[in-house]
């Protein structure tokens, strides 16, 4: 990789400082010849300066200059850090400890209820975070091949939302007052019922425990699954219902849903494992039962789509079918839902297994 020179400025002249890099003749020549960038040269100089034994500098410089010709500064920096760690183990341990000590995470709730998060994570925690976030935030094209409309930043936010759902639902989460971690949402019963009509007006929102308002549509979606405790109020403000434990799918029902629907039954979805939410087709607040015939597995992304766009879902002989709203498809042509891949494979195997053969009777010997 040949690095371009800055116009009107000597690359070698922009590399200043003190230390052993003044003797890095190979790096200085490669920089002057335009074979590496100033950033490459700075990485090489920093690595050489940190070597405990001056006798090692020539060999290390030669290796780094050679690698710099074919890699990005970021990749060269990783190599340099590895070289320094190998030559000075104690300093590498001190550096990692200092990085861990500088860790921080700040969050603030803005006036409109959004939460802004800023964090600096040490290497170990950062790598764990990236490993968990990446499969949960990958693009999800539509079943017809339409690209995922979300920006990378939106996909990352959705991946973090899924991570939070997984954490809240984990048995390993610490208990608060003997209870599993829950998010409490309060909503008026009349507003809850009236919200089932998409044309209803004057529907008051619900609210979280800290008073942050949330639309009733979002309350209904959240109540399908996850650690949500809905508190339904009557007209006099008295709690009518604190939620029913059976509104969430118990383990045996979730297992049956996974066998039938896979991770997400929405047409064309291939979401990674472990992130599904059990959706009530006839909503739980509207009398829908928590049964296999009234539930379907959806990833968090398509769960929101189904609620916000008001897709119609039916189940016929164990097969799901999704009908889009009129604004998405004026003809409202039903689309078959995705099914569990292992279940599909088992069915294909059955179809490919030859039927049992019957042995033809032998002719009696003459």
């Amino acid at each position: 990789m040949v690095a371009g020179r800055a116009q009107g400025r000597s690359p070698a002249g922009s590399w200043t400082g003190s230390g052993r890099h003044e003797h890095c003749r190979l790096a200085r020549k490669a920089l002057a010849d335009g074979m590496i960038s100033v950033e490459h040269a700075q990485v090489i100089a920093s690595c050489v300066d940190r070597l405990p034994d001056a006798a090692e500098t020539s060999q290390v410089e030669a290796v780094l200059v050679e690698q710099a010709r074919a890699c990005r500064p970021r990749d060269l920096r990783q190599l340099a850090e590895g070289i320094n760690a190998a030559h000075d183990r104690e300093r590498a341990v001190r550096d990692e400890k200092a990085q861990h000590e500088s860790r921080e995470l700040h969050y603030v709730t803005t006036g409109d209820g959004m939460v802004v998060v800023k964090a600096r994570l040490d290497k170990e925690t950062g790598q764990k975070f990236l490993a968990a976030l990446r499969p949960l935030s990958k693009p999800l094209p539509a079943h017809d091949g339409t690209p995922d409309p979300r920006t990378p930043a939106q996909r990352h936010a959705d991946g973090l939302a899924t991570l939070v759902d997984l954490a809240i639902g984990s048995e390993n989460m610490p208990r608060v007052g003997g209870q599993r971690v829950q998010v409490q949402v309060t909503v008026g019963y009349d507003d809850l019922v009236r919200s089932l009509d998409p044309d209803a007006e004057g529907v008051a929102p619900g609210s979280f425990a800290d008073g942050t308002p949330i639309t009733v549509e979002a309350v209904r979606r959240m109540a399908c699954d996850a650690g949500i405790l809905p508190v339904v109020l009557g007209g006099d403000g008295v709690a009518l219902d604190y939620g029913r434990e059976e509104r969430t799918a118990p383990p045996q029902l979730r297992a049956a849903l996974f066998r039938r629907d896979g991770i997400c039954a929405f047409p064309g979805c291939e979401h990674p494992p472990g992130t599904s939410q059990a959706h009530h087709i006839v909503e739980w607040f509207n009398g829908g039962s928590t049964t296999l015939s009234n539930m379907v597995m959806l990833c968090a992304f398509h769960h929101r789509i189904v609620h916000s766009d008001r897709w119609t879902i039916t189940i016929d002989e164990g097969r799901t079918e999704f009908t889009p709203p009129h604004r998405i498809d004026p003809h409202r042509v039903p689309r078959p839902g995705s099914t569990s891949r292992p279940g599909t494979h088992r069915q294909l195997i059955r179809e490919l297994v030859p039927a049992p053969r019957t042995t033809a009777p032998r002719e009696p010997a003459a």
Side-chain angles (χ1 to χ4, degrees), residues 68-99:
R69 297 171 184 267
C71 73
R72 300 171 300 174
R74 179 180 183 275
D75 298 324
L76 187 68
R77 184 174 292 107
Q78 291 178 338
L79 173 60
E81 289 182 0
I83 291 173
N84 285 136
H87 281 79
D88 193 345
R89 178 180 175 185
E90 291 184 4
R91 179 167 180 172
V93 171
R94 290 197 306 269
D95 288 347
E96 288 185 350
K97 183 177 180 181
Q99 189 183 80

PDB file of all heavy atoms in Angstrom, residues 68-99:
ATOM      1  N   ALA A  68       4.491  -2.233   6.880  1.00  0.00           N
ATOM      2  CA  ALA A  68       3.796  -0.957   6.660  1.00  0.00           C
ATOM      3  C   ALA A  68       3.502  -0.718   5.189  1.00  0.00           C
ATOM      4  O   ALA A  68       2.556  -0.011   4.838  1.00  0.00           O
ATOM      5  CB  ALA A  68       4.630   0.196   7.224  1.00  0.00           C
ATOM      6  N   ARG A  69       4.302  -1.300   4.306  1.00  0.00           N
ATOM      7  CA  ARG A  69       4.088  -1.119   2.874  1.00  0.00           C
ATOM      8  C   ARG A  69       2.792  -1.769   2.406  1.00  0.00           C
ATOM      9  O   ARG A  69       2.297  -1.441   1.320  1.00  0.00           O
ATOM     10  CB  ARG A  69       5.264  -1.716   2.085  1.00  0.00           C
ATOM     11  CG  ARG A  69       6.615  -1.037   2.344  1.00  0.00           C
ATOM     12  CD  ARG A  69       7.734  -1.844   1.702  1.00  0.00           C
ATOM     13  NE  ARG A  69       9.052  -1.300   2.001  1.00  0.00           N
ATOM     14  CZ  ARG A  69       9.696  -0.425   1.229  1.00  0.00           C
ATOM     15  NH1 ARG A  69       9.130  -0.006   0.101  1.00  0.00           N
ATOM     16  NH2 ARG A  69      10.891   0.020   1.574  1.00  0.00           N
ATOM     17  N   ALA A  70       2.258  -2.708   3.177  1.00  0.00           N
ATOM     18  CA  ALA A  70       1.107  -3.492   2.704  1.00  0.00           C
ATOM     19  C   ALA A  70      -0.061  -3.527   3.674  1.00  0.00           C
ATOM     20  O   ALA A  70      -0.969  -4.329   3.506  1.00  0.00           O
ATOM     21  CB  ALA A  70       1.562  -4.926   2.399  1.00  0.00           C
ATOM     22  N   CYS A  71      -0.051  -2.680   4.704  1.00  0.00           N
ATOM     23  CA  CYS A  71      -1.164  -2.726   5.658  1.00  0.00           C
ATOM     24  C   CYS A  71      -1.527  -1.329   6.133  1.00  0.00           C
ATOM     25  O   CYS A  71      -0.767  -0.373   5.950  1.00  0.00           O
ATOM     26  CB  CYS A  71      -0.846  -3.637   6.846  1.00  0.00           C
ATOM     27  SG  CYS A  71       0.349  -2.952   8.012  1.00  0.00           S
ATOM     28  N   ARG A  72      -2.677  -1.218   6.743  1.00  0.00           N
ATOM     29  CA  ARG A  72      -3.153   0.056   7.277  1.00  0.00           C
ATOM     30  C   ARG A  72      -2.411   0.385   8.577  1.00  0.00           C
ATOM     31  O   ARG A  72      -1.928  -0.526   9.257  1.00  0.00           O
ATOM     32  CB  ARG A  72      -4.651  -0.020   7.567  1.00  0.00           C
ATOM     33  CG  ARG A  72      -5.523  -0.337   6.363  1.00  0.00           C
ATOM     34  CD  ARG A  72      -6.957  -0.605   6.790  1.00  0.00           C
ATOM     35  NE  ARG A  72      -7.032  -1.747   7.705  1.00  0.00           N
ATOM     36  CZ  ARG A  72      -8.147  -2.130   8.325  1.00  0.00           C
ATOM     37  NH1 ARG A  72      -9.268  -1.466   8.134  1.00  0.00           N
ATOM     38  NH2 ARG A  72      -8.135  -3.182   9.134  1.00  0.00           N
ATOM     39  N   PRO A  73      -2.346   1.679   8.919  1.00  0.00           N
ATOM     40  CA  PRO A  73      -1.718   2.049  10.193  1.00  0.00           C
ATOM     41  C   PRO A  73      -2.331   1.336  11.387  1.00  0.00           C
ATOM     42  O   PRO A  73      -1.624   0.963  12.334  1.00  0.00           O
ATOM     43  CB  PRO A  73      -1.938   3.556  10.262  1.00  0.00           C
ATOM     44  CG  PRO A  73      -2.009   3.991   8.835  1.00  0.00           C
ATOM     45  CD  PRO A  73      -2.709   2.865   8.127  1.00  0.00           C
ATOM     46  N   ARG A  74      -3.645   1.138  11.351  1.00  0.00           N
ATOM     47  CA  ARG A  74      -4.307   0.462  12.474  1.00  0.00           C
ATOM     48  C   ARG A  74      -3.786  -0.970  12.630  1.00  0.00           C
ATOM     49  O   ARG A  74      -3.524  -1.432  13.736  1.00  0.00           O
ATOM     50  CB  ARG A  74      -5.819   0.451  12.254  1.00  0.00           C
ATOM     51  CG  ARG A  74      -6.612  -0.248  13.353  1.00  0.00           C
ATOM     52  CD  ARG A  74      -8.108  -0.214  13.045  1.00  0.00           C
ATOM     53  NE  ARG A  74      -8.876  -0.825  14.118  1.00  0.00           N
ATOM     54  CZ  ARG A  74      -9.096  -2.130  14.208  1.00  0.00           C
ATOM     55  NH1 ARG A  74      -8.591  -2.957  13.299  1.00  0.00           N
ATOM     56  NH2 ARG A  74      -9.812  -2.628  15.213  1.00  0.00           N
ATOM     57  N   ASP A  75      -3.644  -1.678  11.499  1.00  0.00           N
ATOM     58  CA  ASP A  75      -3.139  -3.048  11.568  1.00  0.00           C
ATOM     59  C   ASP A  75      -1.674  -3.059  12.013  1.00  0.00           C
ATOM     60  O   ASP A  75      -1.244  -3.945  12.755  1.00  0.00           O
ATOM     61  CB  ASP A  75      -3.273  -3.725  10.200  1.00  0.00           C
ATOM     62  CG  ASP A  75      -4.727  -3.825   9.757  1.00  0.00           C
ATOM     63  OD1 ASP A  75      -5.592  -4.037  10.626  1.00  0.00           O
ATOM     64  OD2 ASP A  75      -4.992  -3.678   8.554  1.00  0.00           O
ATOM     65  N   LEU A  76      -0.904  -2.076  11.528  1.00  0.00           N
ATOM     66  CA  LEU A  76       0.497  -1.993  11.936  1.00  0.00           C
ATOM     67  C   LEU A  76       0.610  -1.718  13.435  1.00  0.00           C
ATOM     68  O   LEU A  76       1.493  -2.256  14.106  1.00  0.00           O
ATOM     69  CB  LEU A  76       1.205  -0.883  11.149  1.00  0.00           C
ATOM     70  CG  LEU A  76       2.719  -0.790  11.351  1.00  0.00           C
ATOM     71  CD1 LEU A  76       3.411  -2.008  10.745  1.00  0.00           C
ATOM     72  CD2 LEU A  76       3.284   0.500  10.751  1.00  0.00           C
ATOM     73  N   ARG A  77      -0.309  -0.897  13.973  1.00  0.00           N
ATOM     74  CA  ARG A  77      -0.281  -0.587  15.407  1.00  0.00           C
ATOM     75  C   ARG A  77      -0.539  -1.849  16.236  1.00  0.00           C
ATOM     76  O   ARG A  77       0.076  -2.049  17.286  1.00  0.00           O
ATOM     77  CB  ARG A  77      -1.313   0.490  15.720  1.00  0.00           C
ATOM     78  CG  ARG A  77      -1.281   0.945  17.186  1.00  0.00           C
ATOM     79  CD  ARG A  77      -2.212   2.114  17.410  1.00  0.00           C
ATOM     80  NE  ARG A  77      -1.747   3.320  16.723  1.00  0.00           N
ATOM     81  CZ  ARG A  77      -2.317   3.818  15.626  1.00  0.00           C
ATOM     82  NH1 ARG A  77      -3.386   3.213  15.097  1.00  0.00           N
ATOM     83  NH2 ARG A  77      -1.837   4.909  15.060  1.00  0.00           N
ATOM     84  N   GLN A  78      -1.437  -2.706  15.771  1.00  0.00           N
ATOM     85  CA  GLN A  78      -1.690  -3.951  16.495  1.00  0.00           C
ATOM     86  C   GLN A  78      -0.443  -4.831  16.519  1.00  0.00           C
ATOM     87  O   GLN A  78      -0.113  -5.437  17.542  1.00  0.00           O
ATOM     88  CB  GLN A  78      -2.864  -4.693  15.852  1.00  0.00           C
ATOM     89  CG  GLN A  78      -4.211  -4.012  16.048  1.00  0.00           C
ATOM     90  CD  GLN A  78      -5.340  -4.759  15.352  1.00  0.00           C
ATOM     91  OE1 GLN A  78      -5.108  -5.528  14.422  1.00  0.00           O
ATOM     92  NE2 GLN A  78      -6.559  -4.528  15.816  1.00  0.00           N
ATOM     93  N   LEU A  79       0.251  -4.889  15.376  1.00  0.00           N
ATOM     94  CA  LEU A  79       1.488  -5.670  15.316  1.00  0.00           C
ATOM     95  C   LEU A  79       2.535  -5.076  16.252  1.00  0.00           C
ATOM     96  O   LEU A  79       3.215  -5.799  16.998  1.00  0.00           O
ATOM     97  CB  LEU A  79       2.021  -5.696  13.889  1.00  0.00           C
ATOM     98  CG  LEU A  79       3.404  -6.333  13.678  1.00  0.00           C
ATOM     99  CD1 LEU A  79       3.398  -7.790  14.126  1.00  0.00           C
ATOM    100  CD2 LEU A  79       3.838  -6.207  12.220  1.00  0.00           C
ATOM    101  N   ALA A  80       2.659  -3.754  16.242  1.00  0.00           N
ATOM    102  CA  ALA A  80       3.648  -3.088  17.093  1.00  0.00           C
ATOM    103  C   ALA A  80       3.353  -3.328  18.567  1.00  0.00           C
ATOM    104  O   ALA A  80       4.275  -3.578  19.363  1.00  0.00           O
ATOM    105  CB  ALA A  80       3.663  -1.593  16.783  1.00  0.00           C
ATOM    106  N   GLU A  81       2.071  -3.263  18.938  1.00  0.00           N
ATOM    107  CA  GLU A  81       1.711  -3.519  20.333  1.00  0.00           C
ATOM    108  C   GLU A  81       2.067  -4.940  20.740  1.00  0.00           C
ATOM    109  O   GLU A  81       2.504  -5.195  21.864  1.00  0.00           O
ATOM    110  CB  GLU A  81       0.227  -3.245  20.548  1.00  0.00           C
ATOM    111  CG  GLU A  81      -0.152  -1.771  20.505  1.00  0.00           C
ATOM    112  CD  GLU A  81      -1.626  -1.547  20.762  1.00  0.00           C
ATOM    113  OE1 GLU A  81      -2.351  -2.541  20.979  1.00  0.00           O
ATOM    114  OE2 GLU A  81      -2.065  -0.384  20.732  1.00  0.00           O
ATOM    115  N   GLY A  82       1.853  -5.878  19.827  1.00  0.00           N
ATOM    116  CA  GLY A  82       2.223  -7.264  20.123  1.00  0.00           C
ATOM    117  C   GLY A  82       3.718  -7.425  20.306  1.00  0.00           C
ATOM    118  O   GLY A  82       4.177  -8.165  21.195  1.00  0.00           O
ATOM    119  N   ILE A  83       4.502  -6.748  19.469  1.00  0.00           N
ATOM    120  CA  ILE A  83       5.963  -6.811  19.591  1.00  0.00           C
ATOM    121  C   ILE A  83       6.416  -6.227  20.930  1.00  0.00           C
ATOM    122  O   ILE A  83       7.234  -6.816  21.640  1.00  0.00           O
ATOM    123  CB  ILE A  83       6.621  -6.059  18.417  1.00  0.00           C
ATOM    124  CG1 ILE A  83       6.385  -6.824  17.108  1.00  0.00           C
ATOM    125  CG2 ILE A  83       8.118  -5.865  18.671  1.00  0.00           C
ATOM    126  CD1 ILE A  83       6.854  -6.070  15.869  1.00  0.00           C
ATOM    127  N   ASN A  84       5.862  -5.055  21.287  1.00  0.00           N
ATOM    128  CA  ASN A  84       6.229  -4.443  22.566  1.00  0.00           C
ATOM    129  C   ASN A  84       5.844  -5.324  23.741  1.00  0.00           C
ATOM    130  O   ASN A  84       6.601  -5.435  24.722  1.00  0.00           O
ATOM    131  CB  ASN A  84       5.561  -3.079  22.700  1.00  0.00           C
ATOM    132  CG  ASN A  84       6.219  -2.011  21.841  1.00  0.00           C
ATOM    133  OD1 ASN A  84       5.562  -1.220  21.193  1.00  0.00           O
ATOM    134  ND2 ASN A  84       7.547  -1.976  21.816  1.00  0.00           N
ATOM    135  N   ALA A  85       4.657  -5.949  23.670  1.00  0.00           N
ATOM    136  CA  ALA A  85       4.214  -6.808  24.769  1.00  0.00           C
ATOM    137  C   ALA A  85       5.132  -8.014  24.926  1.00  0.00           C
ATOM    138  O   ALA A  85       5.411  -8.461  26.042  1.00  0.00           O
ATOM    139  CB  ALA A  85       2.768  -7.262  24.535  1.00  0.00           C
ATOM    140  N   ALA A  86       5.625  -8.533  23.783  1.00  0.00           N
ATOM    141  CA  ALA A  86       6.517  -9.694  23.838  1.00  0.00           C
ATOM    142  C   ALA A  86       7.883  -9.320  24.410  1.00  0.00           C
ATOM    143  O   ALA A  86       8.526 -10.126  25.092  1.00  0.00           O
ATOM    144  CB  ALA A  86       6.673 -10.294  22.445  1.00  0.00           C
ATOM    145  N   HIS A  87       8.347  -8.090  24.153  1.00  0.00           N
ATOM    146  CA  HIS A  87       9.660  -7.658  24.628  1.00  0.00           C
ATOM    147  C   HIS A  87       9.629  -7.121  26.056  1.00  0.00           C
ATOM    148  O   HIS A  87      10.648  -7.130  26.743  1.00  0.00           O
ATOM    149  CB  HIS A  87      10.233  -6.577  23.699  1.00  0.00           C
ATOM    150  CG  HIS A  87      10.818  -7.119  22.447  1.00  0.00           C
ATOM    151  ND1 HIS A  87      10.053  -7.511  21.372  1.00  0.00           N
ATOM    152  CD2 HIS A  87      12.118  -7.353  22.096  1.00  0.00           C
ATOM    153  CE1 HIS A  87      10.840  -7.944  20.406  1.00  0.00           C
ATOM    154  NE2 HIS A  87      12.099  -7.874  20.816  1.00  0.00           N
ATOM    155  N   ASP A  88       8.483  -6.626  26.493  1.00  0.00           N
ATOM    156  CA  ASP A  88       8.394  -6.046  27.847  1.00  0.00           C
ATOM    157  C   ASP A  88       7.049  -6.422  28.453  1.00  0.00           C
ATOM    158  O   ASP A  88       6.081  -5.651  28.424  1.00  0.00           O
ATOM    159  CB  ASP A  88       8.552  -4.522  27.766  1.00  0.00           C
ATOM    160  CG  ASP A  88       8.776  -3.889  29.139  1.00  0.00           C
ATOM    161  OD1 ASP A  88       8.520  -4.569  30.159  1.00  0.00           O
ATOM    162  OD2 ASP A  88       9.204  -2.721  29.193  1.00  0.00           O
ATOM    163  N   ARG A  89       7.011  -7.619  29.002  1.00  0.00           N
ATOM    164  CA  ARG A  89       5.765  -8.167  29.530  1.00  0.00           C
ATOM    165  C   ARG A  89       5.228  -7.337  30.687  1.00  0.00           C
ATOM    166  O   ARG A  89       4.016  -7.084  30.776  1.00  0.00           O
ATOM    167  CB  ARG A  89       5.999  -9.606  29.973  1.00  0.00           C
ATOM    168  CG  ARG A  89       4.792 -10.280  30.575  1.00  0.00           C
ATOM    169  CD  ARG A  89       5.162 -11.701  30.977  1.00  0.00           C
ATOM    170  NE  ARG A  89       4.083 -12.358  31.674  1.00  0.00           N
ATOM    171  CZ  ARG A  89       4.187 -13.570  32.225  1.00  0.00           C
ATOM    172  NH1 ARG A  89       5.344 -14.222  32.135  1.00  0.00           N
ATOM    173  NH2 ARG A  89       3.171 -14.106  32.862  1.00  0.00           N
ATOM    174  N   GLU A  90       6.106  -6.897  31.582  1.00  0.00           N
ATOM    175  CA  GLU A  90       5.652  -6.143  32.753  1.00  0.00           C
ATOM    176  C   GLU A  90       4.987  -4.833  32.340  1.00  0.00           C
ATOM    177  O   GLU A  90       3.956  -4.449  32.899  1.00  0.00           O
ATOM    178  CB  GLU A  90       6.833  -5.879  33.685  1.00  0.00           C
ATOM    179  CG  GLU A  90       7.369  -7.121  34.383  1.00  0.00           C
ATOM    180  CD  GLU A  90       8.459  -6.780  35.368  1.00  0.00           C
ATOM    181  OE1 GLU A  90       8.744  -5.570  35.553  1.00  0.00           O
ATOM    182  OE2 GLU A  90       9.031  -7.719  35.966  1.00  0.00           O
ATOM    183  N   ARG A  91       5.579  -4.159  31.370  1.00  0.00           N
ATOM    184  CA  ARG A  91       4.993  -2.902  30.933  1.00  0.00           C
ATOM    185  C   ARG A  91       3.635  -3.142  30.263  1.00  0.00           C
ATOM    186  O   ARG A  91       2.696  -2.365  30.445  1.00  0.00           O
ATOM    187  CB  ARG A  91       5.922  -2.190  29.953  1.00  0.00           C
ATOM    188  CG  ARG A  91       5.343  -0.872  29.434  1.00  0.00           C
ATOM    189  CD  ARG A  91       6.389  -0.052  28.723  1.00  0.00           C
ATOM    190  NE  ARG A  91       5.802   1.189  28.246  1.00  0.00           N
ATOM    191  CZ  ARG A  91       6.491   2.187  27.723  1.00  0.00           C
ATOM    192  NH1 ARG A  91       7.821   2.096  27.623  1.00  0.00           N
ATOM    193  NH2 ARG A  91       5.900   3.284  27.301  1.00  0.00           N
ATOM    194  N   ALA A  92       3.514  -4.231  29.504  1.00  0.00           N
ATOM    195  CA  ALA A  92       2.236  -4.544  28.853  1.00  0.00           C
ATOM    196  C   ALA A  92       1.147  -4.773  29.886  1.00  0.00           C
ATOM    197  O   ALA A  92       0.012  -4.321  29.732  1.00  0.00           O
ATOM    198  CB  ALA A  92       2.391  -5.772  27.955  1.00  0.00           C
ATOM    199  N   VAL A  93       1.489  -5.470  30.974  1.00  0.00           N
ATOM    200  CA  VAL A  93       0.522  -5.714  32.045  1.00  0.00           C
ATOM    201  C   VAL A  93       0.128  -4.396  32.705  1.00  0.00           C
ATOM    202  O   VAL A  93      -1.060  -4.147  32.991  1.00  0.00           O
ATOM    203  CB  VAL A  93       1.093  -6.697  33.080  1.00  0.00           C
ATOM    204  CG1 VAL A  93       0.177  -6.791  34.301  1.00  0.00           C
ATOM    205  CG2 VAL A  93       1.281  -8.081  32.456  1.00  0.00           C
ATOM    206  N   ARG A  94       1.124  -3.510  32.939  1.00  0.00           N
ATOM    207  CA  ARG A  94       0.816  -2.209  33.538  1.00  0.00           C
ATOM    208  C   ARG A  94      -0.088  -1.382  32.627  1.00  0.00           C
ATOM    209  O   ARG A  94      -1.004  -0.713  33.096  1.00  0.00           O
ATOM    210  CB  ARG A  94       2.114  -1.444  33.816  1.00  0.00           C
ATOM    211  CG  ARG A  94       2.961  -2.012  34.923  1.00  0.00           C
ATOM    212  CD  ARG A  94       3.985  -0.994  35.420  1.00  0.00           C
ATOM    213  NE  ARG A  94       4.800  -0.465  34.330  1.00  0.00           N
ATOM    214  CZ  ARG A  94       5.959  -0.991  33.936  1.00  0.00           C
ATOM    215  NH1 ARG A  94       6.411  -2.096  34.532  1.00  0.00           N
ATOM    216  NH2 ARG A  94       6.648  -0.432  32.962  1.00  0.00           N
ATOM    217  N   ASP A  95       0.178  -1.436  31.329  1.00  0.00           N
ATOM    218  CA  ASP A  95      -0.648  -0.665  30.385  1.00  0.00           C
ATOM    219  C   ASP A  95      -2.096  -1.155  30.386  1.00  0.00           C
ATOM    220  O   ASP A  95      -3.035  -0.351  30.346  1.00  0.00           O
ATOM    221  CB  ASP A  95      -0.070  -0.777  28.976  1.00  0.00           C
ATOM    222  CG  ASP A  95       1.220   0.009  28.820  1.00  0.00           C
ATOM    223  OD1 ASP A  95       1.527   0.831  29.712  1.00  0.00           O
ATOM    224  OD2 ASP A  95       1.922  -0.205  27.807  1.00  0.00           O
ATOM    225  N   GLU A  96      -2.279  -2.470  30.418  1.00  0.00           N
ATOM    226  CA  GLU A  96      -3.638  -3.006  30.434  1.00  0.00           C
ATOM    227  C   GLU A  96      -4.353  -2.658  31.738  1.00  0.00           C
ATOM    228  O   GLU A  96      -5.553  -2.373  31.750  1.00  0.00           O
ATOM    229  CB  GLU A  96      -3.608  -4.515  30.219  1.00  0.00           C
ATOM    230  CG  GLU A  96      -3.260  -4.915  28.793  1.00  0.00           C
ATOM    231  CD  GLU A  96      -3.364  -6.402  28.570  1.00  0.00           C
ATOM    232  OE1 GLU A  96      -3.517  -7.156  29.577  1.00  0.00           O
ATOM    233  OE2 GLU A  96      -3.290  -6.842  27.401  1.00  0.00           O
ATOM    234  N   LYS A  97      -3.616  -2.683  32.831  1.00  0.00           N
ATOM    235  CA  LYS A  97      -4.208  -2.306  34.106  1.00  0.00           C
ATOM    236  C   LYS A  97      -4.621  -0.838  34.099  1.00  0.00           C
ATOM    237  O   LYS A  97      -5.708  -0.475  34.583  1.00  0.00           O
ATOM    238  CB  LYS A  97      -3.225  -2.568  35.248  1.00  0.00           C
ATOM    239  CG  LYS A  97      -3.802  -2.276  36.631  1.00  0.00           C
ATOM    240  CD  LYS A  97      -2.807  -2.621  37.733  1.00  0.00           C
ATOM    241  CE  LYS A  97      -3.410  -2.322  39.106  1.00  0.00           C
ATOM    242  NZ  LYS A  97      -2.456  -2.635  40.210  1.00  0.00           N
ATOM    243  N   ALA A  98      -3.755   0.025  33.538  1.00  0.00           N
ATOM    244  CA  ALA A  98      -4.094   1.449  33.454  1.00  0.00           C
ATOM    245  C   ALA A  98      -5.319   1.668  32.572  1.00  0.00           C
ATOM    246  O   ALA A  98      -6.167   2.514  32.864  1.00  0.00           O
ATOM    247  CB  ALA A  98      -2.895   2.229  32.909  1.00  0.00           C
ATOM    248  N   GLN A  99      -5.413   0.903  31.501  1.00  0.00           N
ATOM    249  CA  GLN A  99      -6.580   1.018  30.621  1.00  0.00           C
ATOM    250  C   GLN A  99      -7.849   0.616  31.366  1.00  0.00           C
ATOM    251  O   GLN A  99      -8.886   1.267  31.244  1.00  0.00           O
ATOM    252  CB  GLN A  99      -6.381   0.138  29.379  1.00  0.00           C
ATOM    253  CG  GLN A  99      -7.430   0.353  28.305  1.00  0.00           C
ATOM    254  CD  GLN A  99      -7.229  -0.577  27.132  1.00  0.00           C
ATOM    255  OE1 GLN A  99      -7.612  -1.742  27.193  1.00  0.00           O
ATOM    256  NE2 GLN A  99      -6.625  -0.077  26.063  1.00  0.00           N
TER     257      GLN A  99
END
